[in-house]
Amino acid sequence: VPAAVELRVRRQPERGRYARADVEAVLDAVLVAHVAFVSDGRPYCVPFLQARIGDNLFIHGAGSSRAIRVLAAGAPACVAMTAIDGLVLARAAFDHSANYRSAMVFGCFHAVAASERAAALEAFTNKLVPGRWDEVRAPSARELRGTAILALPLEQASVKLRSRPPEEAASDATAAGWAGVIPLATTYGAPERALTVDGEIPLPASVQTLTGRTCH
Ligand SMILES: Cc1cc2nc3c(=O)[nH]c(=O)nc-3n(C[C@H](O)[C@H](O)[C@H](O)COP(=O)(O)OP(=O)(O)OC[C@H]3O[C@@H](n4cnc5c(N)ncnc54)[C@H](O)[C@@H]3O)c2cc1C
Protein backbone atom coordinates (compact mmCIF):
# COMPACT_ATOMS: atom_id res chain seq x y z
CA VAL A 1 0.00 0.00 0.00
CA PRO A 2 1.37 3.43 -0.80
CA ALA A 3 2.42 4.81 2.61
CA ALA A 4 1.09 8.28 1.98
CA VAL A 5 -2.65 7.59 1.68
CA GLU A 6 -4.42 10.67 3.00
CA LEU A 7 -7.56 9.67 4.90
CA ARG A 8 -8.66 13.18 5.94
CA VAL A 9 -11.48 14.72 3.95
CA ARG A 10 -10.22 18.19 3.09
CA ARG A 11 -13.29 19.76 1.42
CA GLN A 12 -16.05 20.11 4.02
CA PRO A 13 -14.01 18.24 6.63
CA GLU A 14 -16.94 18.29 9.11
CA ARG A 15 -18.52 15.63 6.89
CA GLY A 16 -15.61 13.21 7.45
CA ARG A 17 -15.84 10.24 9.82
CA TYR A 18 -13.07 7.78 10.59
CA ALA A 19 -14.43 5.49 13.33
CA ARG A 20 -14.74 1.82 12.44
CA ALA A 21 -18.45 1.88 13.29
CA ASP A 22 -19.05 4.61 10.69
CA VAL A 23 -17.13 2.66 8.04
CA GLU A 24 -19.04 -0.53 8.81
CA ALA A 25 -22.40 1.26 8.71
CA VAL A 26 -21.78 2.42 5.13
CA LEU A 27 -20.44 -0.92 3.93
CA ASP A 28 -23.35 -2.78 5.50
CA ALA A 29 -25.88 -0.51 3.79
CA VAL A 30 -24.41 -0.69 0.30
CA LEU A 31 -24.33 -3.64 -2.08
CA VAL A 32 -21.91 -2.35 -4.70
CA ALA A 33 -18.23 -1.47 -4.36
CA HIS A 34 -16.35 0.32 -7.12
CA VAL A 35 -12.82 -1.07 -7.00
CA ALA A 36 -10.09 1.04 -8.58
CA PHE A 37 -6.63 -0.26 -9.42
CA VAL A 38 -3.94 0.20 -12.06
CA SER A 39 -3.20 -2.53 -14.57
CA ASP A 40 -0.63 -2.21 -17.36
CA GLY A 41 -0.28 1.48 -16.51
CA ARG A 42 -3.96 2.21 -17.00
CA PRO A 43 -6.57 2.92 -14.30
CA TYR A 44 -9.62 0.67 -14.06
CA CYS A 45 -12.62 1.08 -11.79
CA VAL A 46 -14.73 -2.06 -11.64
CA PRO A 47 -18.05 -2.52 -9.80
CA PHE A 48 -18.47 -5.64 -7.63
CA LEU A 49 -21.01 -6.90 -5.13
CA GLN A 50 -19.37 -6.51 -1.76
CA ALA A 51 -19.96 -7.88 1.71
CA ARG A 52 -18.29 -6.85 4.94
CA ILE A 53 -17.59 -9.80 7.18
CA GLY A 54 -15.82 -8.91 10.40
CA ASP A 55 -12.72 -6.86 9.69
CA ASN A 56 -12.68 -7.43 5.93
CA LEU A 57 -14.47 -6.31 2.82
CA PHE A 58 -15.02 -9.29 0.50
CA ILE A 59 -15.53 -9.45 -3.25
CA HIS A 60 -15.65 -12.53 -5.43
CA GLY A 61 -15.42 -13.37 -9.10
CA ALA A 62 -14.05 -15.59 -11.81
CA GLY A 63 -10.36 -16.18 -11.23
CA SER A 64 -9.76 -15.42 -14.89
CA SER A 65 -11.12 -11.85 -14.83
CA ARG A 66 -8.63 -9.01 -15.03
CA ALA A 67 -9.67 -7.30 -11.82
CA ILE A 68 -9.57 -10.48 -9.76
CA ARG A 69 -6.21 -11.50 -11.23
CA VAL A 70 -4.57 -8.12 -10.66
CA LEU A 71 -6.06 -7.60 -7.20
CA ALA A 72 -5.22 -11.13 -6.04
CA ALA A 73 -1.60 -10.41 -6.99
CA GLY A 74 -1.64 -7.56 -4.44
CA ALA A 75 -2.12 -4.44 -6.58
CA PRO A 76 -2.91 -1.39 -4.42
CA ALA A 77 -6.64 -0.68 -4.53
CA CYS A 78 -9.02 2.09 -3.65
CA VAL A 79 -12.62 1.01 -3.09
CA ALA A 80 -15.55 3.44 -3.04
CA MET A 81 -19.08 2.73 -1.84
CA THR A 82 -21.95 5.19 -1.96
CA ALA A 83 -25.52 5.35 -0.73
CA ILE A 84 -27.31 8.36 -2.16
CA ASP A 85 -30.06 9.46 0.21
CA GLY A 86 -31.51 12.48 -1.52
CA LEU A 87 -31.21 15.27 -4.03
CA VAL A 88 -30.84 18.63 -2.31
CA LEU A 89 -32.51 21.45 -4.23
CA ALA A 90 -31.75 25.07 -3.44
CA ARG A 91 -32.99 28.34 -4.91
CA ALA A 92 -29.56 28.99 -6.41
CA ALA A 93 -28.15 26.55 -8.94
CA PHE A 94 -24.81 26.75 -7.15
CA ASP A 95 -26.21 25.47 -3.83
CA HIS A 96 -27.70 22.25 -5.17
CA SER A 97 -26.21 19.19 -3.52
CA ALA A 98 -26.91 15.61 -2.47
CA ASN A 99 -27.38 13.81 0.79
CA TYR A 100 -25.21 10.74 0.92
CA ARG A 101 -23.12 8.29 2.89
CA SER A 102 -19.91 7.25 1.21
CA ALA A 103 -16.85 5.27 2.20
CA MET A 104 -13.41 4.82 0.73
CA VAL A 105 -11.17 1.93 1.69
CA PHE A 106 -7.51 1.69 0.69
CA GLY A 107 -5.24 -1.31 0.75
CA CYS A 108 -4.34 -4.56 -0.95
CA PHE A 109 -6.72 -7.49 -1.33
CA HIS A 110 -5.56 -11.04 -0.70
CA ALA A 111 -7.10 -14.22 -2.02
CA VAL A 112 -8.90 -16.39 0.54
CA ALA A 113 -7.16 -19.80 0.75
CA ALA A 114 -8.84 -22.66 -1.11
CA SER A 115 -9.57 -24.47 2.18
CA GLU A 116 -11.52 -21.44 3.47
CA ARG A 117 -13.31 -20.61 0.24
CA ALA A 118 -16.55 -22.50 0.93
CA ALA A 119 -16.96 -20.87 4.36
CA ALA A 120 -16.19 -17.44 2.89
CA LEU A 121 -18.71 -17.97 0.10
CA GLU A 122 -21.33 -19.01 2.64
CA ALA A 123 -20.71 -15.88 4.71
CA PHE A 124 -20.73 -13.71 1.57
CA THR A 125 -24.01 -15.19 0.33
CA ASN A 126 -25.70 -14.88 3.70
CA LYS A 127 -24.54 -11.30 4.07
CA LEU A 128 -26.17 -10.31 0.80
CA VAL A 129 -29.32 -12.44 1.27
CA PRO A 130 -29.58 -13.50 4.93
CA GLY A 131 -30.37 -17.21 5.26
CA ARG A 132 -29.99 -17.98 1.55
CA TRP A 133 -27.12 -20.47 1.87
CA ASP A 134 -29.26 -23.08 3.60
CA GLU A 135 -31.95 -22.81 0.90
CA VAL A 136 -29.70 -23.65 -2.06
CA ARG A 137 -27.37 -26.31 -3.45
CA ALA A 138 -23.84 -25.94 -2.12
CA PRO A 139 -21.12 -25.25 -4.71
CA SER A 140 -19.42 -28.21 -6.35
CA ALA A 141 -15.64 -28.63 -6.17
CA ARG A 142 -15.44 -27.36 -9.78
CA GLU A 143 -17.53 -24.29 -9.00
CA LEU A 144 -15.39 -23.54 -5.96
CA ARG A 145 -12.19 -23.91 -7.98
CA GLY A 146 -13.41 -21.36 -10.51
CA THR A 147 -14.40 -18.76 -7.92
CA ALA A 148 -11.87 -16.48 -6.31
CA ILE A 149 -12.75 -14.68 -3.10
CA LEU A 150 -10.70 -11.64 -2.19
CA ALA A 151 -10.53 -9.92 1.19
CA LEU A 152 -9.49 -6.36 1.94
CA PRO A 153 -8.73 -5.53 5.60
CA LEU A 154 -10.56 -2.40 6.81
CA GLU A 155 -7.40 -0.73 8.03
CA GLN A 156 -7.37 2.46 6.00
CA ALA A 157 -10.85 3.84 5.53
CA SER A 158 -12.79 7.06 5.62
CA VAL A 159 -16.44 8.03 5.45
CA LYS A 160 -18.10 11.18 4.23
CA LEU A 161 -21.71 12.03 5.09
CA ARG A 162 -24.21 14.72 4.21
CA SER A 163 -27.67 14.65 5.73
CA ARG A 164 -29.32 18.03 5.86
CA PRO A 165 -31.53 20.55 4.08
CA PRO A 166 -30.06 22.91 1.49
CA GLU A 167 -27.55 25.46 2.69
CA GLU A 168 -28.43 28.79 1.14
CA ALA A 169 -27.30 32.39 1.35
CA ALA A 170 -29.70 34.47 3.47
CA SER A 171 -30.74 36.46 0.40
CA ASP A 172 -31.73 33.24 -1.42
CA ALA A 173 -33.41 31.68 1.62
CA THR A 174 -35.88 34.56 1.83
CA ALA A 175 -36.49 34.71 -1.93
CA ALA A 176 -39.47 33.14 -3.71
CA GLY A 177 -39.05 29.63 -5.08
CA TRP A 178 -38.92 26.08 -3.78
CA ALA A 179 -36.02 24.49 -1.98
CA GLY A 180 -35.80 21.19 -0.15
CA VAL A 181 -34.78 17.56 -0.37
CA ILE A 182 -36.09 14.81 -2.65
CA PRO A 183 -35.34 11.60 -0.73
CA LEU A 184 -33.89 8.67 -2.63
CA ALA A 185 -33.78 5.06 -1.49
CA THR A 186 -33.07 1.64 -2.95
CA THR A 187 -35.71 -0.93 -2.01
CA TYR A 188 -36.20 -4.64 -2.63
CA GLY A 189 -39.23 -4.88 -4.90
CA ALA A 190 -41.79 -7.64 -5.44
CA PRO A 191 -39.98 -10.93 -6.25
CA GLU A 192 -40.19 -12.08 -9.88
CA ARG A 193 -40.33 -15.88 -10.06
CA ALA A 194 -38.14 -17.51 -12.71
CA LEU A 195 -40.23 -19.11 -15.47
CA THR A 196 -38.80 -22.51 -14.55
CA VAL A 197 -40.20 -22.30 -11.00
CA ASP A 198 -43.62 -23.84 -10.34
CA GLY A 199 -46.04 -21.14 -9.17
CA GLU A 200 -47.10 -23.37 -6.27
CA ILE A 201 -43.65 -23.18 -4.70
CA PRO A 202 -43.78 -20.73 -1.81
CA LEU A 203 -41.36 -17.84 -1.47
CA PRO A 204 -38.34 -18.89 0.58
CA ALA A 205 -37.92 -17.21 3.95
CA SER A 206 -34.85 -15.25 2.80
CA VAL A 207 -36.83 -13.67 -0.04
CA GLN A 208 -39.84 -12.92 2.15
CA THR A 209 -37.59 -11.19 4.65
CA LEU A 210 -36.05 -8.83 2.10
CA THR A 211 -39.17 -8.03 0.10
CA GLY A 212 -40.34 -4.47 0.56
CA ARG A 213 -37.37 -3.49 2.69
CA THR A 214 -35.19 -0.50 2.05
CA CYS A 215 -31.72 -1.57 1.03
CA HIS A 216 -30.15 1.78 1.80
C1 LIG B 1 -22.84 10.97 -4.07
C2 LIG B 1 -21.71 11.96 -4.02
C3 LIG B 1 -21.68 12.99 -4.91
C4 LIG B 1 -20.65 13.92 -4.90
N1 LIG B 1 -20.64 14.90 -5.83
C5 LIG B 1 -19.62 15.78 -5.86
C6 LIG B 1 -19.56 16.78 -6.88
O1 LIG B 1 -20.42 16.84 -7.76
N2 LIG B 1 -18.53 17.65 -6.85
C7 LIG B 1 -17.55 17.58 -5.89
O2 LIG B 1 -16.61 18.38 -5.91
N3 LIG B 1 -17.57 16.64 -4.93
C8 LIG B 1 -18.58 15.74 -4.90
N4 LIG B 1 -18.61 14.77 -3.93
C9 LIG B 1 -17.53 14.78 -2.94
C10 LIG B 1 -16.36 13.97 -3.44
O3 LIG B 1 -16.71 12.58 -3.32
C11 LIG B 1 -15.11 14.14 -2.56
O4 LIG B 1 -15.46 14.06 -1.21
C12 LIG B 1 -14.31 15.41 -2.77
O5 LIG B 1 -13.87 15.53 -4.09
C13 LIG B 1 -13.13 15.34 -1.82
O6 LIG B 1 -12.20 16.32 -2.10
P1 LIG B 1 -11.01 16.65 -1.06
O7 LIG B 1 -10.01 17.52 -1.77
O8 LIG B 1 -11.59 17.11 0.23
O9 LIG B 1 -10.40 15.25 -0.68
P2 LIG B 1 -9.26 14.37 -1.39
O10 LIG B 1 -7.95 15.01 -1.19
O11 LIG B 1 -9.70 13.97 -2.76
O12 LIG B 1 -9.34 13.11 -0.44
C14 LIG B 1 -8.68 13.04 0.81
C15 LIG B 1 -9.18 11.82 1.54
O13 LIG B 1 -10.48 12.10 2.05
C16 LIG B 1 -11.25 10.92 2.02
N5 LIG B 1 -12.45 11.18 1.19
C17 LIG B 1 -12.63 12.14 0.25
N6 LIG B 1 -13.84 12.08 -0.31
C18 LIG B 1 -14.46 11.05 0.29
C19 LIG B 1 -15.76 10.49 0.14
N7 LIG B 1 -16.68 10.97 -0.72
N8 LIG B 1 -16.07 9.42 0.92
C20 LIG B 1 -15.18 8.91 1.81
N9 LIG B 1 -13.94 9.41 1.98
C21 LIG B 1 -13.59 10.47 1.25
C22 LIG B 1 -10.39 9.84 1.43
O14 LIG B 1 -9.79 9.09 2.46
C23 LIG B 1 -9.35 10.61 0.65
O15 LIG B 1 -8.17 9.88 0.51
C24 LIG B 1 -19.63 13.83 -3.93
C25 LIG B 1 -19.66 12.79 -3.00
C26 LIG B 1 -20.69 11.85 -3.06
C27 LIG B 1 -20.70 10.74 -2.06
Side-chain angles (χ1 to χ4, degrees):
V1 183
V5 167
E6 169 64 70
L7 291 178
R8 292 272 138 201
V9 175
R10 291 178 303 148
R11 284 204 63 247
Q12 283 147 329
E14 74 288 353
R15 296 182 185 173
R17 302 281 185 282
Y18 308 95
R20 170 60 71 87
D22 292 306
V23 173
E24 292 184 357
V26 176
L27 270 56
D28 291 352
V30 170
L31 296 176
V32 176
H34 289 90
V35 182
F37 58 92
V38 173
S39 170
D40 297 332
R42 177 187 295 275
Y44 289 79
C45 184
V46 182
F48 284 95
L49 284 172
Q50 66 89 20
R52 178 193 68 86
I53 301 157
D55 296 332
N56 291 281
L57 179 162
F58 286 83
I59 61 172
H60 80 314
S64 55
S65 81
R66 171 196 296 270
I68 296 290
R69 225 177 344 102
V70 171
L71 293 166
C78 172
V79 185
M81 283 134 297
T82 311
I84 179 149
D85 296 322
L87 292 180
V88 179
L89 276 55
R91 270 156 283 211
F94 180 81
D95 292 325
H96 283 64
S97 187
N99 282 337
Y100 56 77
R101 292 161 285 154
S102 69
M104 289 169 65
V105 183
F106 297 86
C108 297
F109 285 87
H110 59 267
V112 171
S115 59
E116 295 166 20
R117 224 177 274 162
L121 213 50
E122 175 176 350
F124 187 89
T125 304
N126 279 339
K127 186 73 196 278
L128 293 173
V129 185
R132 187 63 179 150
W133 189 261
D134 288 338
E135 297 170 349
V136 296
R137 172 177 70 73
S140 67
R142 188 182 56 80
E143 287 167 338
L144 272 181
R145 268 197 309 277
T147 308
I149 304 178
L150 307 187
L152 175 66
L154 298 178
E155 285 163 1
Q156 294 179 288
S158 62
V159 163
K160 194 170 176 184
L161 309 168
R162 187 189 193 281
S163 171
R164 46 187 304 156
E167 289 156 68
E168 302 186 282
S171 55
D172 286 326
T174 52
W178 193 86
V181 174
I182 306 175
L184 264 167
T186 300
T187 54
Y188 298 96
E192 296 167 2
R193 177 170 51 85
L195 292 177
T196 50
V197 173
D198 187 312
E200 298 300 307
I201 292 180
L203 283 179
S206 68
V207 177
Q208 285 187 39
T209 306
L210 286 187
T211 303
R213 280 202 187 171
T214 299
C215 171
H216 71 67

